[in-house]
Every structure is written in structure tokens, then in C-alpha cells.
């Protein structure tokens, strides 16, 4: 019998269950034991329905996720569990139906174990979660609980969302794979909107193959699944420092440069890549558009529950109320143009690489870190994924971010899998 089934990857657990080497009950018990040992320190969960999960594990529905426990970010509606959107305003709120992604997981045989912590409305006000690698450091946000739960072996996979850097950054800080697909690839029905033109559903897993597998089910996109190691495919890589390169810590810059050298020695053609000029101001345009849209999605809560909205959220809401519609339209147009410009500029490059975050997870739990290396990719809507494996000066995870062309997720995932195996 496997001594620690909770440490299996999603695909390895699925294979073990399919082959009869592991039962869903044993896998779930191992996950619950780990949660019992660690949740008091990590605080990754808002709600866990252990009894319902046990009942499902004893008689799991058939499907590609049969018997696999998965965490759901508390921004995503669940019909049988409360959904609080990271705010006291919604304490005890019970949605009438599952979000589309949750229904898909259940229909595929997956077990929804519980709701993972989100920052307030998936913005910048932190939740209660700590980084499992160092409890004195932030796990990042807004998908803090999902990243921490996967990193600390509570579940093999969890769902997250990203509007600025809410999948890639916590994945980098916690040391897991975080995949944000191309905009619109995965369904947002039943997920509370923050800024609808740039909200993305994504996944947290332990391997790139796991991420492609889960996303292929969520989006009914079988091409995203990576079926085998494809060493015959060696990606051509552009090392993209981005206009934000100076925001990376010196140690991160060195780690990325060393990684690019190693990938080159492993057989890839790696060379410097300069982004088109339109990307110079895209991060600023993202902020303008995000604030503007938040002034609509947050209007009810700020107007009706002003004392229960954080100062950080109110600050961005107020900024959004001052954004001119003409400036918002210009920002959206810039995002659209950037997508085309990037596809044209990449030419023969399969992927780009850059930092996932400025460095290791910052000390303290009163902030979630800076999405400076995520904004431009989120606003362009292009696919990106955090690859763990690098380590900073305090022995904390530092992620490498892989980026692809819009809609080219299958190639990006295949290339990212190669990168993860040669990093």
C-alpha cells in the first residue's frame, strides 16, 4: 500500500485508482489526515465537507476524474457548500447551483472536497492563508488557498482564477504549477466577476501534465492533455525580460539567466526576445481597465455594505469611478492589438520565458505580493504557466513563467512540460 497517497500527482492518482492499486477512500483519507495535521498552520480552507466527500469516495461516479479530490476557490459557486467570495458580506451565502467548472468536475467523477481561501473578491486584501514553505510569508493572492493546499499536499489539484496575477504569482510563491489558459478557454459561468474582460479560470497542480489533463476536462479541449514525454519536440525559446525586468530581484534575474543557459544546454535554441513597443505601457492600461470594471462589479457591495469592504478594495473602486470611458476603451483596444502584435513578433519561437514574480514570497501576511510580471500577459489574454523548481536565497520557491501565443495553449503546455523536465 502506498504510504502517502496524498503526495501523488493527479494523473498518478488517477492511474493508481484505475489499476486498482489505490481506492478513492484511501486517497481521500490520506488527504484528510494531512489537512488535519497542517490546516491549523496553513489555513488554506474556508470550508471542508469531509462527510460528503467520504460518501462520494465510497461510491465514486465514473469518469476521468473518478475518485480524485479537488479544491475549489471560494470565488466559485457550489450548490452544496457556502461561497463567501472572500468577504464577510457573504458569510453563509449559499448559491443555488454549481458553477459550470464545478458541475464539470462532478460529472467527470471528481470529488469536491471543499472551498479554498480567496482574497476579498479576488483582489488585494489578503485572506488567512500562510505560505506552507514558511508560515511567516505570504502565499500570494488571490488564489492563495488553492496554491497552498496543493503545495502542502492537501489535494492533488485545485481551481483558481486570475485577473492580474492570481494564479501565476501564488503558484510561484508556493512552488506549484499554476496554469492560466488563453482568455475564454475555460468557462466562467458561476464565478463571481471582478473584471470580466480579463477574468480567467485556471488550475493549480503539481505537474504540467496534471494541469493540461484537468484543463482539458474543464474546457472540453482534449488537445490540452499531454499524453507522453515528447523529447522529440524541443521548443525554441525566447528569453523575454519584459519592460518590468528591473522589478525582479537580483537573485531572480540570476536564476532566470542560469535557467535559460541550462535549457539551451539541454538542446533548446534560446535567445533574447524583445516585446513589441505596444507592451511598454500595457501594464498601466491593464490597471486602468481593471479599476474601471471593478467600479461596476463592486458597486453593490460598496454602496450597500461600505463598512464591510476593505480600504484596499475601496481605493481601487474609487479609482475606477474616476476612469473615463474613453480611456477604458483605449486600454481594451491596446490589449487587443497586443495579442496580435505578440503573435506576429514571436515568429519561429514556440514559447517565451520570464519571471513569474519579482522573487521569493515576501515576509508577512498583510499583503500578497506584486503582480508586476503577470499584468501584461493577463490583459493580452495569452496562455501562461508557472514552472516550479528554482530556489531563492532563503530556500523559498521561485517560479519560471512560460508564455505562448493566444489560443496556442496545446503547444505552450507541451513546451512547458519539456522545460519542467530540463529545468
Amino acid at each position: 500500500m502506498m504510504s502517502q497517497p496524498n503526495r501523488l500527482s493527479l494523473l498518478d492518482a488517477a492511474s493508481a485508482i484505475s489499476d486498482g492499486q489505490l481506492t478513492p477512500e484511501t486517497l481521500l483519507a490520506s488527504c484528510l489526515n494531512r489537512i488535519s495535521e497542517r490546516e491549523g498552520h496553513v489555513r488554506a480552507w474556508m470550508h471542508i465537507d469531509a462527510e460528503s466527500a467520504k460518501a462520494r469516495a465510497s461510491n465514486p461516479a465514473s469518469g476521468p476524474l473518478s475518485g480524485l479530490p479537488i479544491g475549489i476557490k471560494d470565488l466559485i459557486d457550489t450548490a452544496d457548500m457556502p461561497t463567501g467570495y472572500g468577504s464577510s458580506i457573504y458569510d453563509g451565502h449559499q448559491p443555488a447551483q454549481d458553477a459550470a467548472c464545478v458541475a464539470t468536475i462532478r460529472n467527470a467523477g471528481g470529488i469536491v472536497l471543499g472551498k479554498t481561501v480567496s482574497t476579498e473578491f479576488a483582489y488585494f486584501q489578503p485572506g488567512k492563508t500562510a505560505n506552507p514553505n514558511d508560515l511567516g510569508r505570504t502565499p500570494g493572492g488571490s488564489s492563495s488557498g488553492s496554491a497552498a493546499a496543493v503545495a502542502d499536499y492537501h489535494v492533488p489539484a485545485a481551481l483558481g482564477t486570475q485577473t492580474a496575477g492570481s494564479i501565476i504569482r501564488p503558484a510561484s510563491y508556493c512552488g506549484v504549477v499554476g496554469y492560466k489558459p488563453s482568455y475564454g478557454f475555460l468557462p466562467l459561468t458561476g464565478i463571481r466577476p471582478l473584471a470580466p474582460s480579463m477574468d480567467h479560470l485556471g488550475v493549480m497542480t503539481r505537474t504540467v501534465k496534471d494541469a493540461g489533463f484537468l484543463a482539458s476536462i474543464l474546457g472540453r479541449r482534449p488537445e490540452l492533455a499531454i499524453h507522453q514525454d515528447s523529447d522529440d519536440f524541443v521548443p525554441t525559446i525566447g528569453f523575454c525580460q519584459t519592460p518590468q525586468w528591473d522589478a525582479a530581484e537580483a537573485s531572480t534575474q540570476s536564476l532566470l539567466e542560469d535557467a535559460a543557459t541550462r535549457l539551451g544546454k539541454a538542446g533548446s535554441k534560446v535567445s533574447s526576445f524583445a516585446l513589441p513597443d505596444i507592451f511598454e505601457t500595457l501594464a498601466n492600461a491593464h490597471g486602468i481597465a481593471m479599476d474601471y470594471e471593478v467600479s461596476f462589479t463592486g458597486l453593490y457591495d460598496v454602496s450597500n455594505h461600505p463598512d464591510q469592504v476593505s480600504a484596499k478594495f475601496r481605493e481601487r473602486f474609487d479609482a475606477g469611478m474616476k476612469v473615463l470611458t474613453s480611456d477604458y476603451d483605449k486600454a481594451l483596444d491596446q490589449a487587443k492589438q497586443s495579442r496580435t502584435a505578440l503573435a506576429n513578433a514571436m515568429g519561429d519561437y514556440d514559447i517565451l520565458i520570464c519571471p513569474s514574480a519579482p522573487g521569493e514570497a515576501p515576509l508577512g501576511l498583510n499583503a500578497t505580493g506584486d503582480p508586476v510580471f503577470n499584468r501584461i500577459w493577463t490583459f493580452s489574454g495569452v496562455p501562461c504557466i508557472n514552472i516550479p523548481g528554482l530556489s531563492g536565497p532563503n530556500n523559498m520557491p521561485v517560479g519560471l513563467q512560460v508564455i505562448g501565443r493566444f489560443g496556442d495553449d496545446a503547444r505552450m503546455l507541451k513546451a512547458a512540460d519539456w522545460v519542467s523536465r530540463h529545468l
Side-chain angles (χ1 to χ4, degrees):
M1 180 180 294
M2 301 173 189
S3 60
Q4 293 180 303
N6 63 300
R7 291 179 177 264
L8 290 172
S9 72
L10 192 68
L11 279 167
D12 285 347
S15 178
I17 289 172
S18 177
D19 294 344
Q21 299 174 13
L22 177 67
T23 66
E25 296 100 318
T26 301
L27 174 59
L28 178 63
S30 181
C31 291
L32 290 172
N33 285 341
R34 178 66 175 179
I35 292 170
S36 177
E37 293 170 0
R38 293 280 293 168
E39 175 59 10
H41 304 289
V42 177
R43 303 186 298 278
W45 299 87
M46 287 301 298
H47 180 86
I48 295 176
D49 192 342
E51 294 308 311
S52 176
K54 289 176 183 177
R56 292 178 186 272
S58 67
N59 186 28
S62 61
L65 298 176
S66 183
L68 300 174
I70 295 175
I72 307 296
K73 183 177 180 178
D74 198 31
L75 199 74
I76 301 171
D77 287 347
T78 42
D80 58 350
M81 300 178 194
T83 304
Y85 311 128
S87 169
S88 63
I89 296 170
Y90 293 93
D91 280 348
H93 169 63
Q94 185 62 67
Q97 62 187 45
D98 285 335
C101 55
V102 174
T104 299
I105 287 171
R106 297 194 203 273
N107 287 342
I111 297 172
V112 175
L113 180 54
K115 307 302 289 289
T116 58
V117 172
S118 169
T119 63
E120 178 194 35
F121 304 131
Y123 222 176
F124 293 125
Q125 181 64 28
K128 62 183 180 179
T129 308
N131 192 310
N133 302 286
D134 180 345
L135 299 174
R137 294 177 185 265
T138 179
S142 62
S143 305
S144 50
S146 290
V150 173
D152 206 41
Y153 304 104
H154 299 188
V155 282
L159 302 189
T161 63
Q162 177 160 312
T163 307
S166 296
I167 291 172
I168 301 298
R169 189 170 79 262
S172 179
Y173 288 168
C174 292
V176 299
V177 170
Y179 167 42
K180 181 204 78 65
S182 291
Y183 180 74
F185 258 42
L186 301 185
L188 291 171
T189 304
I191 301 175
R192 179 190 164 100
L194 179 62
S197 73
M198 60 199 87
D199 289 343
H200 295 72
L201 172 65
V203 300
M204 304 282 195
T205 59
R206 297 201 193 107
T207 71
V208 176
K209 286 187 176 68
D210 283 356
F213 169 63
L214 183 53
S216 74
I217 295 165
L218 293 172
R220 297 203 299 269
R221 296 178 179 273
E223 71 276 9
L224 299 183
I226 305 166
H227 295 292
Q228 59 186 16
D229 290 346
S230 46
D231 280 313
D232 55 325
F233 170 67
V234 180
T236 301
I237 300 173
F239 182 20
C240 180
Q241 293 187 337
T242 85
Q244 291 75 38
W245 180 251
D246 288 345
E249 296 170 8
S251 59
T252 299
Q253 293 180 355
S254 295
L255 285 169
L256 266 289
E257 290 163 352
D258 290 346
T261 299
R262 285 203 304 278
L263 295 173
K265 290 180 178 178
S268 174
K269 180 182 177 182
V270 183
S271 54
S272 296
F273 178 87
L275 284 169
D277 290 344
I278 196 169
F279 280 85
E280 290 291 333
T281 58
L282 191 61
N284 183 64
H286 169 272
I288 290 170
M290 188 172 178
D291 284 347
Y292 179 87
E293 294 186 16
V294 165
S295 71
F296 286 97
T297 60
L299 182 58
Y300 169 83
D301 299 300
V302 171
S303 299
N304 292 279
H305 303 277
D307 295 338
Q308 291 175 269
V309 173
S310 73
K312 289 183 179 180
F313 187 84
R314 182 60 188 255
E315 178 185 349
R316 300 322 315 160
F317 173 87
D318 289 345
M321 293 292 286
K322 297 174 183 176
V323 173
L324 299 176
T325 303
S326 58
D327 291 336
Y328 169 67
D329 290 342
K330 288 177 184 176
L332 291 186
D333 187 59
Q334 186 176 349
K336 183 179 179 180
Q337 292 182 43
S338 72
R339 186 181 294 178
T340 302
L342 181 65
N344 292 335
M346 283 181 67
D348 293 333
Y349 290 104
D350 294 305
I351 54 170
L352 307 179
I353 59 172
C354 76
S356 292
E360 298 172 316
L363 286 165
L365 302 182
N366 61 347
T368 61
D370 191 343
V372 62
F373 285 103
N374 316 124
R375 288 181 178 274
I376 58 175
W377 313 121
T378 304
F379 204 29
S380 283
V382 297
C384 48
I385 188 167
N386 177 71
I387 307 298
L390 304 178
S391 184
N394 297 292
N395 202 32
M396 291 290 293
V398 173
L400 179 147
Q401 187 172 192
V402 172
I403 301 99
R405 297 171 180 80
F406 178 77
D408 200 18
D409 293 49
R411 174 162 46 164
M412 186 211 71
L413 286 165
K414 193 175 177 182
D417 181 54
W418 185 92
V419 169
S420 71
R421 288 183 286 111
H422 293 88
L423 192 57

